[in-house]
Each structure stands twice: as C-alpha cells, then as structure tokens.
Amino acid sequence: MPAPHSSSAKYSFVVASNRLPVDRVVDDEGNEGWRHSPGGLVTALEPVMRANDGAWVGWVGQPDVEVDPFDNEGIHIVPVPLSTSEVEEYYEGFSNDTLWPLYHDVIEHPSYHRDWWNSYKGVNKRFAEQIAEIVEQDGIVWVQDYQLQLVPALLRELRPDLTIGFFNHIPFPPVGIYAQLPWRAQILDGLLGADVIGFQRHDDASDFLRAVRHIKGYTTKGSTIDVPVDDPNAPRSRKGVTVRHVEARHFPISIDAESFEEIARRPEVQERAREIRQGLGNPKTVLLGVDRLDYTKGIRHRIKAFGELIQDGRVKVEDATLVQVASPSRERVDTYRMLRDEIELSVGRLNGDLGTITHQPISYLHHGYPREEMVALYLAADIMLVTALRDGMNLVAKEYVATRFDNDGVLILSEFAGAADELKQAVIINPHDIGALKDSIQRAIEMPKRERSTRMRALRKRVRDNDVARWSRSFLEALDRHAPRNARIDPTGAERHREAQTDNMSIFDQDAQTARAAEDTREARDA
C-alpha cells in the first residue's frame, strides 16, 4: 500500500495534469491499490520530481472517489476529486467534445454548451486552489495539457510568487478555427498566466501567437508576448504600458528511446515477434497501425488504401497483412461509438470480400496491450503506418523507430503529425490523398533493404538524440530562466538518475549499450 503523507506538506516543484501518474485498482476482495501508469510524460518527470522534492496533482480517473494524498514509488501524489457530472461535462463534454475537435482542425464538429464551460471553469479552479495550497513560496509549477488551460491565470492570481509553465500536448489550431470558440479570450487569458507556454510544433506556437495578437491585441516579438499588468515595478513596453513577458515556443515531446530498445533486445520479445508473424501465416509483408480509436488518427484512410491495393491487384492478399490495433477510447461519447461501428464494418466487409479460407487481409484488434507486446508487434512489422489527419506529435512513430535496432522497417508518416517535423527520413504522406497513400505503401513494400537501412539509421539517431529526457530538460531550463534566484530547480534530474543507474546496469544492458556505440561508429563512417 502507498504511504500517506501530511496534507499540509509543501513542495518546491509541482506537476499538474488531468490524470495522475498512477491508476487506482481494486482487487476481487475489495482491497485498494495503485498501479504505475506507463507513458513518456511520467518517465520524463519522475527523476526530475525526485531530484526537486516534487508533487503530482491530478484526478484518479474514477468519478466520486476521494483519496487522501499519499506517496507512491518516491513521488508525492495529491488527488483532485471529480464528480460524475463533472466527468460528463468538464472531461467528456468540454475537454473532449468541444476543445479536442476544435484543436484538431474541426475534423468532427465541436459542441458548444455553456453548462460544459461552467463545469470546465469550476474544475480548473479546484485544481488551481489545490496547487496553491501545496506549493512552497517561490515554487515552480508545470501544468499539462488542454484540460487545464485556465489553471495558469487562476494560479497566478492566487499565488503571484510562483513560476508557472504550461505544455499543450495536442495541436493549437489556426486563428480562423480557434476564433469559433465562444470562450476564446478566456482561454487565452488562462494560458497567458504562465511564464512559459510550450507546444509540439513551431506552427502550433505561431498559431497561438497569432491568436494572441488577433483576439487580445497584445504585442509579440519572436516568441515573447507582452502581457499588460497592473504593476508599477514591471517593465514597460514601447507603448509605455507595464507588461509581463511570456515565452511561447515549441518543445517537441519524445519517448524514453533507451527503454524501448532495451525491451526490443530481449530474446523473449524477439521470439514473441516471430510467433506473431507465424500466427499471421508468415506473409511477405506485415503492415501495422497502432492508435487510440479516434477520428483524428486516419484509421479509415489506411484501411481504404490497403483494401484498394488488394482490389487493384497491386498487392496479393496472401502476401500482405495489415494489423490494426485500435485501443478503446472515450466509449461513452457518441462520436467514438459511431467511429468504432464504422471501422469494424469496413474491416468486416474487406475481409469478407477479399479474404481467403486461410488468410484475412486485415487483423483488427480493439484492445490495449502491455508495452512488451507492443514492442513485439513493432519488431514483427515491416511497415508502420501513421496516417493521422491531425496529431500533436504521435509517439507511436518514435516508438517504432526506437525498437528497430536491426535498422530495418519502413515508417510511413503523415505530414500532419508533429513527428513529421523531426522524422524526415520517413516516407511522408498526405493521408487525404488515397492514391498517393497507396503508392507510398507499395513503395514501402518494394523498398530495397539498403534504402530501408539508410532511412532507419537516420531516424533512430534522431529519436535517440532527442529523447524525452531532453524534452523535459529543455522546457524546465526555459522555465528556470523565469524563476527568481532563490527558486532554481534542477532540470537535469533525469540525467543524474540515468548516470546513477549505470553502476547497477546488467550485463544485458551493457551489451545493448555496446551495440548502440558500434552502430554510432558505423553511422559516422557511412557519413
């Protein structure tokens, strides 16, 4: 059981996100426990939080559950409760049926309801109050994602001594789309309470700066915004107005590439990859899509393109299999229920029309899988299909690359995913152009091994050099520059944590590290 701690405890560094980094689990006998949540954000911030005596504020993921603060694996956990109505209105409603479609370029039409907005305001206020209560004087706070966009300004009003960062994990839309939001100015005011606002792509940061100029009329210069304040001691703008300088720029998030490669090098995971291919009938080519079941991911587009390739006779049904993993998502929201029905109907129709007694063209899996099974799938796949219509980053693309220590495999990547800015050696596609998507899939199937290897080496170097530790360090260093001298944090906790683990590295891990060093030497020689 996790250890409780005093609700009056104070922390120098606080992270706030809609969900906590742990999941509440109850066994058959009614005993409550907590399971560590996998994910890049948790991996990046855990060592930094330990180095800075940090706390994590968030919702436990279940309505009407109140839990006292506790410690879990060295991290201080401070839960924020949500009622059933708040989950429906703040989370499923405003966050996921208003902001999500709006911020993803209105692929589906957003819903605007004043009751949802009021609930969103109320929950953000509760988060801000909880943070204000537990953070030390001159402390540093890092708020995560679109569910909590009002928290920075609310928190600054409660605690003007704090240094506040905000990172938006999803896209920020062009001003012509964002301006449709009835509460557009209030959201901008909320975000501008931060000292540093981070986005996945340069275009997202530019769209935000344009929205600030267009809707708020504030002056921007480069990545700096002049936010008017009523403070005679604040610096003055060229217009003679006292202002607070806010930094808004892109910090592309990544993954713990080393941990994915370590899993991929395990003999049992490689054996599982061989079992997967054998279970699929050992086709010449295995294509893979891994997504949350969401209309932004372009699942329908890739299914359509692959089906047409077989119908056209360009790919034989016995030679290729598309494995589509679509993990459950927001199943209480009507849009997502209809999307699931549509995709499953398309898969069933294609398998019925094109399949043989011994082979189905599409293996569709509506499940979530543990990380080891996902890595085995990545190793089993010759081609990774990332056809997002709009995506903040898409870490699946980076996970696939990180696992391919064999320097093989082809990544087909949508230009509308943030990862396309970095992974330029992927086969970049426009998922809306079904004809070009079909050509790219065929090109990937027929790509010579030498070209596959050259592309994958470059992709792997990029993912290794720009891992999640570097992402968190770069943001925290930017935030640290805004903090007063007596409130400095250690943004390199992740690096020190990794160095401390070197002495305890297993022989297997050392072998993996040696192999990576040899690979780097080959890359330098090839260059």
Side-chain angles (χ1 to χ4, degrees):
M1 289 292 292
H5 65 253
S6 171
S7 59
S8 61
K10 303 287 185 181
Y11 306 99
S12 60
F13 177 51
V14 174
V15 172
S17 61
N18 176 64
R19 288 290 297 273
L20 286 168
V22 291
D23 295 321
R24 179 174 174 265
V25 292
V26 180
D27 63 22
D28 294 338
E29 297 178 358
N31 298 314
E32 179 186 288
W34 297 90
R35 180 180 57 220
H36 203 65
S37 301
L41 181 63
V42 180
T43 301
L45 295 184
E46 271 184 338
V48 180
M49 296 183 76
R50 292 191 182 103
N52 294 279
D53 189 32
W56 199 305
V57 176
W59 173 46
V60 299
Q62 298 169 358
D64 301 314
V65 173
E66 296 201 24
V67 180
D68 292 331
F70 62 91
D71 291 342
N72 182 270
E73 299 184 11
I75 295 182
H76 310 300
I77 302 293
V78 183
V80 175
L82 295 182
S83 68
T84 298
S85 64
E86 286 171 334
V87 172
E88 293 174 353
E89 295 180 349
Y90 145 79
Y91 180 64
E92 294 174 350
F94 196 80
S95 295
N96 292 326
D97 207 13
T98 300
L99 294 177
W100 180 269
L102 183 79
Y103 281 33
H104 287 84
D105 291 354
V106 198
I107 294 170
E108 292 288 335
H109 188 72
S111 300
Y112 303 119
H113 298 292
R114 284 170 289 181
D115 290 344
W116 292 359
W117 165 245
N118 289 332
S119 181
Y120 185 84
K121 288 193 298 181
V123 172
N124 274 246
K125 184 171 184 284
R126 188 180 311 142
F127 267 82
E129 290 171 345
Q130 180 65 81
I131 297 165
E133 184 179 330
I134 66 169
V135 67
E136 289 180 354
Q137 179 71 24
D138 295 326
I140 292 176
V141 178
W142 192 2
V143 183
Q144 307 289 331
D145 224 359
Y146 66 105
Q147 300 96 342
L148 302 177
Q149 292 177 105
L150 302 181
V151 167
L154 292 168
L155 192 55
R156 183 162 299 282
E157 184 176 349
L158 293 169
R159 293 287 304 274
D161 58 294
L162 301 178
T163 303
I164 304 168
F166 181 92
F167 186 78
N168 197 54
H169 291 257
I170 67 173
F172 193 88
V175 66
I177 291 176
Y178 179 76
Q180 298 175 28
L181 183 65
W183 308 280
R184 58 195 188 183
Q186 293 95 314
I187 294 287
L188 292 180
D189 287 337
L191 292 170
L192 291 170
D195 295 287
V196 179
I197 307 169
F199 299 91
Q200 298 279 28
R201 309 183 79 166
H202 180 272
D203 288 350
D204 296 326
S206 296
D207 287 337
F208 175 77
L209 291 166
R210 291 189 191 97
V212 167
R213 292 193 297 268
H214 178 78
I215 294 169
K216 298 298 298 181
Y218 295 165
T219 300
T220 67
K221 183 177 181 181
S223 62
T224 301
I225 305 166
D226 289 343
V227 180
V229 292
D230 186 15
D231 181 358
N233 297 317
R236 293 184 177 273
S237 68
R238 293 179 180 178
K239 299 178 181 179
V241 179
T242 52
V243 295
R244 185 172 59 84
H245 296 305
V246 174
E247 182 179 353
R249 60 188 181 88
H250 72 299
F251 300 84
I253 198 170
S254 193
I255 62 169
D256 183 1
E258 185 174 330
S259 72
F260 276 93
E261 181 171 341
E262 185 275 322
I263 295 171
R265 288 181 179 272
R266 295 177 190 171
E268 66 273 18
V269 174
Q270 294 174 37
E271 177 59 30
R272 177 58 185 148
R274 287 188 286 271
E275 290 175 358
I276 290 171
R277 289 191 70 102
Q278 185 175 357
L280 294 169
N282 283 319
K284 292 180 180 178
T285 305
V286 175
L287 302 94
L288 176 64
V290 175
D291 309 89
R292 212 166 37 77
L293 187 60
D294 193 285
Y295 49 78
T296 65
K297 302 299 184 181
I299 300 173
R300 292 172 289 196
H301 297 64
R302 80 182 62 140
I303 289 174
K304 181 177 177 62
F306 182 67
E308 287 188 8
L309 279 172
I310 296 174
Q311 289 171 329
D312 296 345
R314 295 167 65 179
V315 174
K316 292 182 179 180
V317 68
E318 297 85 4
D319 289 347
T321 296
L322 169 60
V323 178
Q324 176 60 58
V325 177
S327 58
S329 174
R330 301 168 187 165
E331 296 195 309
R332 290 171 38 157
V333 179
D334 288 341
T335 304
Y336 289 82
R337 286 199 295 263
M338 290 187 290
L339 175 65
R340 178 182 178 182
D341 290 343
E342 182 181 342
I343 289 175
E344 292 180 354
L345 182 64
S346 297
V347 171
R349 181 178 291 125
L350 279 173
N351 282 342
D353 291 346
L354 305 176
T356 67
I357 293 175
T358 59
H359 189 85
Q360 296 293 311
I362 300 176
S363 177
Y364 175 78
L365 305 160
H366 185 59
H367 310 290
Y369 291 96
R371 179 172 290 189
E372 288 76 8
E373 185 75 356
M374 292 310 307
V375 171
L377 271 169
Y378 293 147
L379 288 175
D382 303 290
I383 298 169
M384 185 80 216
L385 282 165
V386 178
T387 56
L389 308 181
R390 189 79 160 94
D391 220 337
M393 177 54 62
N394 195 291
L395 296 179
V396 163
K398 295 186 175 184
E399 291 173 4
Y400 178 72
V401 168
T403 64
R404 299 309 303 230
F405 65 90
D406 58 354
N407 290 318
D408 206 351
V410 181
L411 173 63
I412 295 177
L413 179 60
S414 167
E415 65 183 272
F416 303 116
D421 289 353
E422 301 176 84
L423 305 183
K424 297 185 183 298
Q425 292 302 312
V427 177
I428 305 296
I429 52 97
N430 174 0
H432 298 282
D433 186 344
I434 299 298
L437 178 54
K438 289 163 60 179
D439 292 341
S440 295
I441 293 173
Q442 186 170 28
R443 176 187 173 195
I445 291 173
E446 298 171 354
M447 187 177 291
K449 181 173 176 55
R450 183 178 180 86
E451 182 181 351
R452 298 198 307 266
S453 180
T454 300
R455 286 174 176 270
M456 187 56 70
R457 284 175 185 270
L459 291 170
R460 284 176 50 72
K461 186 176 190 308
R462 181 72 180 186
V463 170
R464 287 202 312 270
D465 290 349
N466 295 282
D467 66 358
V468 73
R470 179 171 179 175
W471 166 77
S472 64
R473 184 173 66 247
S474 64
F475 188 97
L476 291 171
E477 286 173 347
L479 193 57
D480 199 42
R481 290 193 290 270
H482 289 260
R485 288 180 178 272
N486 63 336
R488 298 297 184 190
I489 60 172
D490 172 18
T492 61
E495 293 301 315
R496 284 217 301 270
H497 175 72
R498 187 165 290 170
E499 290 168 6
Q501 288 182 320
T502 302
D503 292 336
N504 299 319
M505 186 182 293
S506 68
I507 294 175
F508 180 80
D509 290 334
Q510 292 175 27
D511 289 344
Q513 195 172 72
T514 301
R516 285 192 298 274
E519 183 178 328
D520 288 340
T521 301
R522 287 194 302 271
E523 288 170 356
R525 184 186 62 220
D526 292 345

